[in-house]
Amino acid sequence: GENVEQHPSTLSVQEGDSAVIKCTYSDSASNYFPWYKQELGKRPQLIIDIRSNVGEKKDQRIAVTLNKTAKHFSLHITETQPEDSAVYFCAASSNTGNQFYFGTGTSLTVIP
Amino acid sequence: EAGVAQSPRYKIIEKRQSVAFWCNPISGHATLYWYQQILGQGPKLLIQFQNNGVVDDSQLPKDRFSAERLKGVDSTLKIQPAKLEDSAVYLCASSWVGVGTEAFFGQGTRLTVV
Protein backbone atom coordinates (compact mmCIF):
# COMPACT_ATOMS: atom_id res chain seq x y z
CA GLY A 1 0.00 0.00 0.00
CA GLU A 2 0.90 3.67 -0.11
CA ASN A 3 3.41 5.10 2.38
CA VAL A 4 3.47 8.85 2.94
CA GLU A 5 6.29 10.46 4.88
CA GLN A 6 6.12 14.06 6.11
CA HIS A 7 8.79 16.43 7.42
CA PRO A 8 9.37 18.25 9.65
CA SER A 9 7.22 17.07 12.53
CA THR A 10 7.36 20.49 14.18
CA LEU A 11 8.05 23.90 12.69
CA SER A 12 8.25 27.31 14.33
CA VAL A 13 8.45 30.49 12.29
CA GLN A 14 8.23 34.17 13.00
CA GLU A 15 5.10 35.93 11.85
CA GLY A 16 5.57 37.09 8.27
CA ASP A 17 8.13 34.44 7.41
CA SER A 18 7.50 31.51 5.07
CA ALA A 19 6.90 27.89 6.07
CA VAL A 20 7.59 24.83 3.96
CA ILE A 21 6.40 21.30 4.68
CA LYS A 22 7.56 18.37 2.57
CA CYS A 23 6.03 14.97 1.84
CA THR A 24 7.12 11.94 -0.11
CA TYR A 25 4.98 9.06 -1.32
CA SER A 26 5.76 5.56 -2.50
CA ASP A 27 2.98 4.52 -4.88
CA SER A 28 3.49 5.81 -8.41
CA ALA A 29 -0.25 5.28 -9.00
CA SER A 30 -1.10 8.08 -6.59
CA ASN A 31 -2.44 11.03 -8.49
CA TYR A 32 -4.26 13.28 -6.03
CA PHE A 33 -2.51 15.09 -3.17
CA PRO A 34 -4.59 17.09 -0.70
CA TRP A 35 -3.34 19.08 2.27
CA TYR A 36 -5.43 19.31 5.42
CA LYS A 37 -5.21 21.74 8.32
CA GLN A 38 -6.30 20.55 11.74
CA GLU A 39 -6.68 22.99 14.59
CA LEU A 40 -6.62 21.66 18.12
CA GLY A 41 -9.70 19.60 18.86
CA LYS A 42 -11.22 20.23 15.45
CA ARG A 43 -11.75 18.26 12.29
CA PRO A 44 -9.19 18.20 9.46
CA GLN A 45 -10.14 20.65 6.72
CA LEU A 46 -8.87 20.77 3.17
CA ILE A 47 -6.79 23.85 2.42
CA ILE A 48 -5.38 23.03 -1.00
CA ASP A 49 -4.94 20.07 -3.29
CA ILE A 50 -3.07 19.18 -6.46
CA ARG A 51 -3.51 16.56 -9.13
CA SER A 52 -0.72 14.73 -10.89
CA ASN A 53 -1.21 16.55 -14.17
CA VAL A 54 -0.23 19.84 -12.53
CA GLY A 55 3.18 20.83 -11.16
CA GLU A 56 2.14 23.76 -9.01
CA LYS A 57 -1.00 25.33 -7.62
CA LYS A 58 -1.43 28.53 -5.68
CA ASP A 59 -4.23 29.99 -3.59
CA GLN A 60 -3.41 33.36 -2.05
CA ARG A 61 -0.68 32.71 0.55
CA ILE A 62 -0.69 28.95 0.09
CA ALA A 63 0.97 27.00 -2.70
CA VAL A 64 1.66 23.36 -3.37
CA THR A 65 4.28 21.90 -5.69
CA LEU A 66 4.48 18.36 -7.02
CA ASN A 67 7.43 16.45 -8.45
CA LYS A 68 6.07 13.19 -9.83
CA THR A 69 9.47 11.89 -10.85
CA ALA A 70 10.85 12.25 -7.35
CA LYS A 71 7.50 11.39 -5.75
CA HIS A 72 7.42 14.37 -3.48
CA PHE A 73 5.17 17.34 -2.92
CA SER A 74 5.44 20.37 -0.71
CA LEU A 75 3.23 22.96 0.97
CA HIS A 76 4.41 26.55 1.01
CA ILE A 77 2.82 29.18 3.23
CA THR A 78 4.01 32.74 2.74
CA GLU A 79 3.54 35.74 5.03
CA THR A 80 2.56 33.47 7.90
CA GLN A 81 0.08 34.69 10.48
CA PRO A 82 -0.67 33.44 14.01
CA GLU A 83 -3.91 31.89 12.77
CA ASP A 84 -1.86 29.62 10.53
CA SER A 85 -0.74 27.80 13.69
CA ALA A 86 -2.14 24.26 13.45
CA VAL A 87 -1.20 20.72 12.46
CA TYR A 88 -0.91 20.19 8.73
CA PHE A 89 -1.31 16.79 7.09
CA CYS A 90 -0.42 15.80 3.56
CA ALA A 91 -2.17 12.89 1.91
CA ALA A 92 -1.95 10.83 -1.24
CA SER A 93 -4.73 9.09 -3.09
CA SER A 94 -4.53 6.66 -5.96
CA ASN A 95 -6.74 6.34 -8.98
CA THR A 96 -7.77 2.83 -7.99
CA GLY A 97 -10.13 3.67 -5.17
CA ASN A 98 -9.68 7.17 -3.79
CA GLN A 99 -8.29 5.90 -0.49
CA PHE A 100 -6.44 8.66 1.34
CA TYR A 101 -3.14 7.86 3.03
CA PHE A 102 -1.95 10.54 5.40
CA GLY A 103 1.44 11.71 6.54
CA THR A 104 2.29 11.96 10.24
CA GLY A 105 1.58 15.67 10.43
CA THR A 106 3.54 18.89 10.99
CA SER A 107 2.78 21.08 13.96
CA LEU A 108 3.28 24.65 12.78
CA THR A 109 3.64 27.46 15.29
CA VAL A 110 3.70 31.04 14.09
CA ILE A 111 5.29 33.30 16.67
CA PRO A 112 3.82 36.82 16.78
CA GLU B 1 -24.43 21.92 3.00
CA ALA B 2 -24.60 20.12 6.33
CA GLY B 3 -21.38 18.48 7.38
CA VAL B 4 -20.49 14.96 8.42
CA ALA B 5 -22.16 14.18 11.75
CA GLN B 6 -20.62 11.86 14.32
CA SER B 7 -21.69 10.74 17.75
CA PRO B 8 -20.82 10.52 20.50
CA ARG B 9 -18.12 13.20 20.74
CA TYR B 10 -16.44 11.55 23.70
CA LYS B 11 -16.48 8.06 25.18
CA ILE B 12 -14.64 6.54 28.10
CA ILE B 13 -14.79 2.77 28.57
CA GLU B 14 -12.89 0.11 30.41
CA LYS B 15 -10.73 -2.35 28.53
CA ARG B 16 -12.57 -5.42 27.29
CA GLN B 17 -15.82 -3.47 27.02
CA SER B 18 -17.48 -2.78 23.70
CA VAL B 19 -18.24 0.55 22.08
CA ALA B 20 -19.98 1.80 18.94
CA PHE B 21 -19.62 4.99 16.96
CA TRP B 22 -22.12 6.43 14.53
CA CYS B 23 -21.59 8.51 11.40
CA ASN B 24 -23.99 10.30 9.08
CA PRO B 25 -22.22 11.47 5.91
CA ILE B 26 -22.98 14.49 3.77
CA SER B 27 -26.13 13.87 1.74
CA GLY B 28 -25.33 12.31 -1.61
CA HIS B 29 -21.82 11.20 -0.71
CA ALA B 30 -21.56 7.55 -1.70
CA THR B 31 -18.06 7.07 -0.29
CA LEU B 32 -17.58 6.86 3.46
CA TYR B 33 -14.34 6.38 5.40
CA TRP B 34 -13.48 5.56 8.98
CA TYR B 35 -10.09 6.72 10.20
CA GLN B 36 -8.26 6.17 13.48
CA GLN B 37 -6.13 9.09 14.66
CA ILE B 38 -3.84 8.32 17.58
CA LEU B 39 -2.53 11.37 19.42
CA GLY B 40 0.35 12.93 17.52
CA GLN B 41 -0.15 10.84 14.40
CA GLY B 42 -1.87 11.20 11.07
CA PRO B 43 -5.25 9.62 10.37
CA LYS B 44 -5.01 5.93 9.53
CA LEU B 45 -7.61 4.46 7.19
CA LEU B 46 -9.59 1.65 8.81
CA ILE B 47 -12.29 1.03 6.24
CA GLN B 48 -13.75 2.60 3.12
CA PHE B 49 -17.30 2.04 1.85
CA GLN B 50 -18.84 2.89 -1.46
CA ASN B 51 -22.58 2.86 -0.94
CA ASN B 52 -23.04 -0.22 1.26
CA GLY B 53 -20.08 -2.17 -0.14
CA VAL B 54 -16.59 -2.36 1.33
CA VAL B 55 -13.86 -0.97 -0.93
CA ASP B 56 -10.91 -1.36 1.43
CA ASP B 57 -10.69 -2.82 4.92
CA SER B 58 -7.11 -4.02 4.75
CA GLN B 59 -6.07 -2.07 7.87
CA LEU B 60 -9.11 -2.91 9.97
CA PRO B 61 -8.26 -5.21 12.92
CA LYS B 62 -11.05 -7.59 12.12
CA ASP B 63 -10.69 -9.65 15.28
CA ARG B 64 -12.10 -6.74 17.29
CA PHE B 65 -13.30 -4.06 14.90
CA SER B 66 -16.36 -4.21 12.68
CA ALA B 67 -18.18 -1.66 10.57
CA GLU B 68 -21.33 -1.61 8.57
CA ARG B 69 -23.23 0.69 6.27
CA LEU B 70 -26.41 -1.23 5.69
CA LYS B 71 -28.49 1.24 3.67
CA GLY B 72 -25.61 3.03 2.02
CA VAL B 73 -26.00 6.12 4.19
CA ASP B 74 -25.26 5.99 7.94
CA SER B 75 -22.46 3.85 9.24
CA THR B 76 -21.46 2.37 12.57
CA LEU B 77 -18.01 1.31 13.74
CA LYS B 78 -17.79 -1.13 16.63
CA ILE B 79 -14.94 -2.26 18.81
CA GLN B 80 -15.34 -5.41 20.87
CA PRO B 81 -13.45 -5.98 23.08
CA ALA B 82 -11.57 -2.69 23.44
CA LYS B 83 -7.87 -2.54 24.31
CA LEU B 84 -5.89 0.29 25.83
CA GLU B 85 -4.17 0.93 22.49
CA ASP B 86 -7.56 1.67 20.89
CA SER B 87 -7.57 5.04 22.64
CA ALA B 88 -7.74 7.51 19.77
CA VAL B 89 -9.99 9.85 17.85
CA TYR B 90 -12.17 8.03 15.35
CA LEU B 91 -12.88 10.20 12.36
CA CYS B 92 -15.56 9.61 9.78
CA ALA B 93 -15.26 11.23 6.37
CA SER B 94 -17.29 11.19 3.19
CA SER B 95 -16.83 12.14 -0.44
CA TRP B 96 -18.45 12.01 -3.82
CA VAL B 97 -17.62 8.95 -5.89
CA GLY B 98 -14.60 9.40 -8.10
CA VAL B 99 -10.88 9.81 -8.02
CA GLY B 100 -9.49 13.02 -6.65
CA THR B 101 -12.58 14.15 -4.82
CA GLU B 102 -12.28 15.95 -1.51
CA ALA B 103 -12.92 14.04 1.69
CA PHE B 104 -14.97 15.96 4.26
CA PHE B 105 -14.37 15.02 7.88
CA GLY B 106 -16.62 14.89 10.89
CA GLN B 107 -15.64 16.22 14.31
CA GLY B 108 -14.59 12.78 15.45
CA THR B 109 -15.23 10.65 18.52
CA ARG B 110 -12.53 10.73 21.15
CA LEU B 111 -12.28 7.27 22.73
CA THR B 112 -10.42 6.70 25.96
CA VAL B 113 -9.93 3.12 27.10
CA VAL B 114 -8.93 2.78 30.75
Side-chain angles (χ1 to χ4, degrees):
Chain A
E2 174 67 279
N3 182 43
V4 178
E5 296 190 355
Q6 183 172 347
H7 300 280
S9 57
T10 60
L11 180 59
S12 292
V13 298
Q14 293 289 331
E15 182 177 359
D17 287 351
S18 295
V20 180
I21 303 170
K22 299 182 179 181
C23 289
T24 61
Y25 61 99
S26 61
D27 188 352
S28 57
S30 292
N31 62 356
Y32 174 61
F33 306 93
W35 285 88
Y36 284 81
K37 176 183 180 182
Q38 187 175 29
E39 297 177 5
L40 190 64
K42 296 189 177 181
R43 71 188 78 192
Q45 292 195 298
L46 180 75
I47 55 171
I48 195 167
D49 56 14
I50 192 167
R51 289 171 173 75
S52 59
N53 59 346
V54 175
E56 183 175 358
K57 183 177 178 180
K58 189 174 181 180
D59 182 4
Q60 299 183 335
R61 298 185 296 108
I62 296 174
V64 57
T65 59
L66 171 64
N67 184 326
K68 286 190 298 181
T69 303
K71 294 182 189 171
H72 68 70
F73 55 113
S74 300
L75 177 71
H76 305 254
I77 306 174
T78 59
E79 302 173 17
T80 54
Q81 301 169 2
E83 53 264 37
D84 294 330
S85 296
V87 178
Y88 291 81
F89 293 99
C90 61
S93 174
S94 76
N95 58 6
T96 56
N98 210 41
Q99 291 95 336
F100 293 90
Y101 296 93
F102 284 82
T104 49
T106 296
S107 178
L108 173 64
T109 302
V110 179
I111 304 166
Chain B
E1 59 184 1
V4 177
Q6 289 189 247
S7 66
R9 287 295 311 277
Y10 307 93
K11 190 74 176 179
I12 300 174
I13 62 171
E14 295 182 348
K15 59 184 180 183
R16 292 187 290 273
Q17 286 187 325
S18 63
V19 64
F21 313 128
W22 173 82
C23 173
N24 179 242
I26 292 172
S27 178
H29 282 191
T31 303
L32 184 146
Y33 312 84
W34 282 103
Y35 283 88
Q36 179 192 58
Q37 186 175 24
I38 294 172
L39 186 64
Q41 299 182 18
K44 171 189 167 185
L45 179 66
L46 293 176
I47 189 167
Q48 177 189 358
F49 292 95
Q50 183 166 313
N51 296 308
N52 59 351
V54 175
V55 174
D56 184 350
D57 63 356
S58 58
Q59 299 189 93
L60 185 73
K62 298 180 184 65
D63 58 333
R64 297 184 301 105
F65 286 65
S66 64
E68 60 183 12
R69 194 184 184 199
L70 291 175
K71 296 182 179 179
V73 181
D74 293 4
S75 177
T76 56
L77 176 70
K78 298 179 182 179
I79 307 175
Q80 181 178 10
K83 293 185 176 181
L84 296 177
E85 57 261 36
D86 298 332
S87 295
V89 175
Y90 290 84
L91 292 163
C92 179
S94 69
S95 72
W96 297 104
V97 171
V99 174
T101 55
E102 178 184 352
F104 293 83
F105 283 85
Q107 293 274 39
T109 295
R110 181 177 297 277
L111 173 67
T112 302
V113 182
V114 298

mmCIF file of all heavy atoms in Angstrom, chain B residues 78-106:
data_model
loop_
_atom_site.group_PDB
_atom_site.id
_atom_site.type_symbol
_atom_site.label_atom_id
_atom_site.label_comp_id
_atom_site.label_asym_id
_atom_site.label_seq_id
_atom_site.Cartn_x
_atom_site.Cartn_y
_atom_site.Cartn_z
ATOM 1 N N LYS B 78 -17.744 -0.499 15.308
ATOM 2 C CA LYS B 78 -17.792 -1.126 16.625
ATOM 3 C C LYS B 78 -16.435 -1.710 16.995
ATOM 4 O O LYS B 78 -15.713 -2.234 16.130
ATOM 5 C CB LYS B 78 -18.859 -2.236 16.645
ATOM 6 C CG LYS B 78 -20.267 -1.748 16.399
ATOM 7 C CD LYS B 78 -21.267 -2.900 16.404
ATOM 8 C CE LYS B 78 -22.679 -2.402 16.117
ATOM 9 N NZ LYS B 78 -23.676 -3.508 16.085
ATOM 10 N N ILE B 79 -16.140 -1.630 18.279
ATOM 11 C CA ILE B 79 -14.935 -2.255 18.813
ATOM 12 C C ILE B 79 -15.369 -3.188 19.945
ATOM 13 O O ILE B 79 -16.085 -2.780 20.860
ATOM 14 C CB ILE B 79 -13.941 -1.221 19.372
ATOM 15 C CG1 ILE B 79 -13.632 -0.144 18.334
ATOM 16 C CG2 ILE B 79 -12.651 -1.917 19.800
ATOM 17 C CD1 ILE B 79 -12.745 0.984 18.870
ATOM 18 N N GLN B 80 -14.961 -4.440 19.843
ATOM 19 C CA GLN B 80 -15.338 -5.410 20.870
ATOM 20 C C GLN B 80 -14.372 -6.592 20.864
ATOM 21 O O GLN B 80 -14.306 -7.314 19.854
ATOM 22 C CB GLN B 80 -16.764 -5.918 20.624
ATOM 23 C CG GLN B 80 -17.255 -6.919 21.652
ATOM 24 C CD GLN B 80 -18.681 -7.359 21.396
ATOM 25 O OE1 GLN B 80 -19.258 -7.074 20.351
ATOM 26 N NE2 GLN B 80 -19.257 -8.077 22.339
ATOM 27 N N PRO B 81 -13.584 -6.801 21.894
ATOM 28 C CA PRO B 81 -13.450 -5.980 23.085
ATOM 29 C C PRO B 81 -12.387 -4.902 22.895
ATOM 30 O O PRO B 81 -11.443 -5.074 22.114
ATOM 31 C CB PRO B 81 -12.970 -6.998 24.118
ATOM 32 C CG PRO B 81 -12.140 -7.952 23.310
ATOM 33 C CD PRO B 81 -12.799 -8.030 21.960
ATOM 34 N N ALA B 82 -12.521 -3.797 23.584
ATOM 35 C CA ALA B 82 -11.569 -2.695 23.442
ATOM 36 C C ALA B 82 -10.276 -2.987 24.203
ATOM 37 O O ALA B 82 -10.285 -3.657 25.246
ATOM 38 C CB ALA B 82 -12.193 -1.398 23.948
ATOM 39 N N LYS B 83 -9.179 -2.468 23.664
ATOM 40 C CA LYS B 83 -7.874 -2.539 24.308
ATOM 41 C C LYS B 83 -7.389 -1.120 24.593
ATOM 42 O O LYS B 83 -7.874 -0.162 23.990
ATOM 43 C CB LYS B 83 -6.867 -3.248 23.407
ATOM 44 C CG LYS B 83 -7.149 -4.722 23.167
ATOM 45 C CD LYS B 83 -6.013 -5.349 22.360
ATOM 46 C CE LYS B 83 -6.219 -6.833 22.199
ATOM 47 N NZ LYS B 83 -5.110 -7.468 21.432
ATOM 48 N N LEU B 84 -6.419 -1.022 25.474
ATOM 49 C CA LEU B 84 -5.889 0.295 25.831
ATOM 50 C C LEU B 84 -5.383 1.034 24.591
ATOM 51 O O LEU B 84 -5.566 2.256 24.471
ATOM 52 C CB LEU B 84 -4.758 0.161 26.854
ATOM 53 C CG LEU B 84 -5.137 -0.420 28.218
ATOM 54 C CD1 LEU B 84 -3.893 -0.560 29.086
ATOM 55 C CD2 LEU B 84 -6.167 0.461 28.921
ATOM 56 N N GLU B 85 -4.765 0.293 23.678
ATOM 57 C CA GLU B 85 -4.173 0.927 22.489
ATOM 58 C C GLU B 85 -5.215 1.421 21.481
ATOM 59 O O GLU B 85 -4.861 2.039 20.471
ATOM 60 C CB GLU B 85 -3.186 -0.014 21.794
ATOM 61 C CG GLU B 85 -3.784 -1.337 21.378
ATOM 62 C CD GLU B 85 -3.480 -2.448 22.361
ATOM 63 O OE1 GLU B 85 -3.449 -2.175 23.590
ATOM 64 O OE2 GLU B 85 -3.263 -3.585 21.895
ATOM 65 N N ASP B 86 -6.494 1.151 21.756
ATOM 66 C CA ASP B 86 -7.556 1.667 20.886
ATOM 67 C C ASP B 86 -7.902 3.117 21.214
ATOM 68 O O ASP B 86 -8.706 3.736 20.502
ATOM 69 C CB ASP B 86 -8.813 0.812 21.005
ATOM 70 C CG ASP B 86 -8.585 -0.628 20.565
ATOM 71 O OD1 ASP B 86 -7.702 -0.854 19.712
ATOM 72 O OD2 ASP B 86 -9.278 -1.518 21.089
ATOM 73 N N SER B 87 -7.327 3.645 22.286
ATOM 74 C CA SER B 87 -7.571 5.042 22.641
ATOM 75 C C SER B 87 -7.102 5.938 21.496
ATOM 76 O O SER B 87 -5.925 5.918 21.112
ATOM 77 C CB SER B 87 -6.830 5.409 23.925
ATOM 78 O OG SER B 87 -7.339 4.681 25.019
ATOM 79 N N ALA B 88 -8.020 6.705 20.955
ATOM 80 C CA ALA B 88 -7.735 7.507 19.766
ATOM 81 C C ALA B 88 -8.973 8.335 19.437
ATOM 82 O O ALA B 88 -10.018 8.202 20.081
ATOM 83 C CB ALA B 88 -7.396 6.603 18.567
ATOM 84 N N VAL B 89 -8.835 9.180 18.425
ATOM 85 C CA VAL B 89 -9.995 9.852 17.850
ATOM 86 C C VAL B 89 -10.397 9.072 16.600
ATOM 87 O O VAL B 89 -9.548 8.768 15.754
ATOM 88 C CB VAL B 89 -9.690 11.317 17.489
ATOM 89 C CG1 VAL B 89 -10.882 11.957 16.764
ATOM 90 C CG2 VAL B 89 -9.353 12.113 18.746
ATOM 91 N N TYR B 90 -11.668 8.751 16.514
ATOM 92 C CA TYR B 90 -12.173 8.028 15.350
ATOM 93 C C TYR B 90 -12.913 9.034 14.462
ATOM 94 O O TYR B 90 -13.925 9.609 14.859
ATOM 95 C CB TYR B 90 -13.049 6.858 15.785
ATOM 96 C CG TYR B 90 -12.190 5.798 16.429
ATOM 97 C CD1 TYR B 90 -11.837 5.889 17.776
ATOM 98 C CD2 TYR B 90 -11.650 4.757 15.674
ATOM 99 C CE1 TYR B 90 -10.979 4.955 18.353
ATOM 100 C CE2 TYR B 90 -10.808 3.816 16.245
ATOM 101 C CZ TYR B 90 -10.478 3.923 17.581
ATOM 102 O OH TYR B 90 -9.620 3.007 18.149
ATOM 103 N N LEU B 91 -12.367 9.216 13.287
ATOM 104 C CA LEU B 91 -12.882 10.201 12.357
ATOM 105 C C LEU B 91 -13.653 9.516 11.235
ATOM 106 O O LEU B 91 -13.180 8.531 10.659
ATOM 107 C CB LEU B 91 -11.739 11.002 11.725
ATOM 108 C CG LEU B 91 -10.949 11.929 12.642
ATOM 109 C CD1 LEU B 91 -9.627 12.320 12.007
ATOM 110 C CD2 LEU B 91 -11.767 13.165 12.974
ATOM 111 N N CYS B 92 -14.797 10.057 10.934
ATOM 112 C CA CYS B 92 -15.559 9.613 9.781
ATOM 113 C C CYS B 92 -15.427 10.696 8.715
ATOM 114 O O CYS B 92 -15.394 11.892 9.022
ATOM 115 C CB CYS B 92 -17.020 9.411 10.154
ATOM 116 S SG CYS B 92 -18.088 8.890 8.791
ATOM 117 N N ALA B 93 -15.331 10.276 7.472
ATOM 118 C CA ALA B 93 -15.257 11.226 6.369
ATOM 119 C C ALA B 93 -16.104 10.709 5.217
ATOM 120 O O ALA B 93 -16.374 9.501 5.124
ATOM 121 C CB ALA B 93 -13.812 11.420 5.897
ATOM 122 N N SER B 94 -16.525 11.615 4.359
ATOM 123 C CA SER B 94 -17.293 11.189 3.195
ATOM 124 C C SER B 94 -16.884 12.001 1.981
ATOM 125 O O SER B 94 -16.321 13.091 2.101
ATOM 126 C CB SER B 94 -18.799 11.313 3.451
ATOM 127 O OG SER B 94 -19.207 12.667 3.536
ATOM 128 N N SER B 95 -17.170 11.447 0.811
ATOM 129 C CA SER B 95 -16.828 12.142 -0.437
ATOM 130 C C SER B 95 -17.752 11.669 -1.547
ATOM 131 O O SER B 95 -18.413 10.622 -1.440
ATOM 132 C CB SER B 95 -15.371 11.884 -0.826
ATOM 133 O OG SER B 95 -15.196 10.553 -1.285
ATOM 134 N N TRP B 96 -17.780 12.444 -2.606
ATOM 135 C CA TRP B 96 -18.454 12.007 -3.820
ATOM 136 C C TRP B 96 -17.672 10.821 -4.391
ATOM 137 O O TRP B 96 -16.495 10.660 -4.114
ATOM 138 C CB TRP B 96 -18.513 13.129 -4.858
ATOM 139 C CG TRP B 96 -19.301 14.322 -4.430
ATOM 140 C CD1 TRP B 96 -18.810 15.524 -4.022
ATOM 141 C CD2 TRP B 96 -20.725 14.433 -4.352
ATOM 142 N NE1 TRP B 96 -19.830 16.375 -3.696
ATOM 143 C CE2 TRP B 96 -21.020 15.753 -3.886
ATOM 144 C CE3 TRP B 96 -21.792 13.567 -4.632
ATOM 145 C CZ2 TRP B 96 -22.339 16.203 -3.707
ATOM 146 C CZ3 TRP B 96 -23.092 14.019 -4.437
ATOM 147 C CH2 TRP B 96 -23.341 15.322 -3.992
ATOM 148 N N VAL B 97 -18.303 10.047 -5.215
ATOM 149 C CA VAL B 97 -17.623 8.952 -5.894
ATOM 150 C C VAL B 97 -16.690 9.550 -6.947
ATOM 151 O O VAL B 97 -17.032 10.495 -7.629
ATOM 152 C CB VAL B 97 -18.638 8.010 -6.566
ATOM 153 C CG1 VAL B 97 -17.916 6.996 -7.444
ATOM 154 C CG2 VAL B 97 -19.476 7.300 -5.525
ATOM 155 N N GLY B 98 -15.524 8.958 -7.056
ATOM 156 C CA GLY B 98 -14.602 9.400 -8.096
ATOM 157 C C GLY B 98 -13.231 9.675 -7.551
ATOM 158 O O GLY B 98 -13.057 9.953 -6.364
ATOM 159 N N VAL B 99 -12.266 9.595 -8.415
ATOM 160 C CA VAL B 99 -10.879 9.812 -8.021
ATOM 161 C C VAL B 99 -10.623 11.305 -7.864
ATOM 162 O O VAL B 99 -11.116 12.120 -8.635
ATOM 163 C CB VAL B 99 -9.945 9.221 -9.087
ATOM 164 C CG1 VAL B 99 -8.500 9.561 -8.757
ATOM 165 C CG2 VAL B 99 -10.141 7.720 -9.171
ATOM 166 N N GLY B 100 -9.872 11.639 -6.842
ATOM 167 C CA GLY B 100 -9.492 13.021 -6.652
ATOM 168 C C GLY B 100 -10.607 13.911 -6.156
ATOM 169 O O GLY B 100 -10.630 15.105 -6.458
ATOM 170 N N THR B 101 -11.506 13.347 -5.404
ATOM 171 C CA THR B 101 -12.580 14.154 -4.824
ATOM 172 C C THR B 101 -12.286 14.366 -3.347
ATOM 173 O O THR B 101 -11.822 13.465 -2.653
ATOM 174 C CB THR B 101 -13.942 13.473 -4.985
ATOM 175 O OG1 THR B 101 -13.880 12.157 -4.432
ATOM 176 C CG2 THR B 101 -14.322 13.361 -6.445
ATOM 177 N N GLU B 102 -12.602 15.551 -2.876
ATOM 178 C CA GLU B 102 -12.276 15.946 -1.507
ATOM 179 C C GLU B 102 -13.009 15.091 -0.493
ATOM 180 O O GLU B 102 -14.188 14.778 -0.648
ATOM 181 C CB GLU B 102 -12.647 17.409 -1.296
ATOM 182 C CG GLU B 102 -12.387 17.920 0.117
ATOM 183 C CD GLU B 102 -12.848 19.347 0.316
ATOM 184 O OE1 GLU B 102 -13.228 20.003 -0.685
ATOM 185 O OE2 GLU B 102 -12.841 19.823 1.473
ATOM 186 N N ALA B 103 -12.305 14.726 0.563
ATOM 187 C CA ALA B 103 -12.922 14.036 1.691
ATOM 188 C C ALA B 103 -13.258 15.065 2.762
ATOM 189 O O ALA B 103 -12.404 15.855 3.158
ATOM 190 C CB ALA B 103 -11.977 12.979 2.256
ATOM 191 N N PHE B 104 -14.501 15.050 3.218
ATOM 192 C CA PHE B 104 -14.965 15.955 4.262
ATOM 193 C C PHE B 104 -15.030 15.162 5.568
ATOM 194 O O PHE B 104 -15.640 14.095 5.611
ATOM 195 C CB PHE B 104 -16.352 16.502 3.920
ATOM 196 C CG PHE B 104 -16.371 17.415 2.721
ATOM 197 C CD1 PHE B 104 -16.435 16.894 1.440
ATOM 198 C CD2 PHE B 104 -16.328 18.787 2.879
ATOM 199 C CE1 PHE B 104 -16.455 17.727 0.322
ATOM 200 C CE2 PHE B 104 -16.345 19.634 1.775
ATOM 201 C CZ PHE B 104 -16.408 19.093 0.500
ATOM 202 N N PHE B 105 -14.453 15.728 6.613
ATOM 203 C CA PHE B 105 -14.365 15.017 7.880
ATOM 204 C C PHE B 105 -15.411 15.481 8.879
ATOM 205 O O PHE B 105 -15.805 16.652 8.891
ATOM 206 C CB PHE B 105 -12.983 15.221 8.507
ATOM 207 C CG PHE B 105 -11.908 14.398 7.862
ATOM 208 C CD1 PHE B 105 -11.249 14.847 6.735
ATOM 209 C CD2 PHE B 105 -11.565 13.152 8.385
ATOM 210 C CE1 PHE B 105 -10.263 14.084 6.131
ATOM 211 C CE2 PHE B 105 -10.580 12.387 7.789
ATOM 212 C CZ PHE B 105 -9.937 12.847 6.663
ATOM 213 N N GLY B 106 -15.814 14.548 9.732
ATOM 214 C CA GLY B 106 -16.617 14.893 10.885
ATOM 215 C C GLY B 106 -15.732 15.348 12.032
ATOM 216 O O GLY B 106 -14.502 15.366 11.912
#
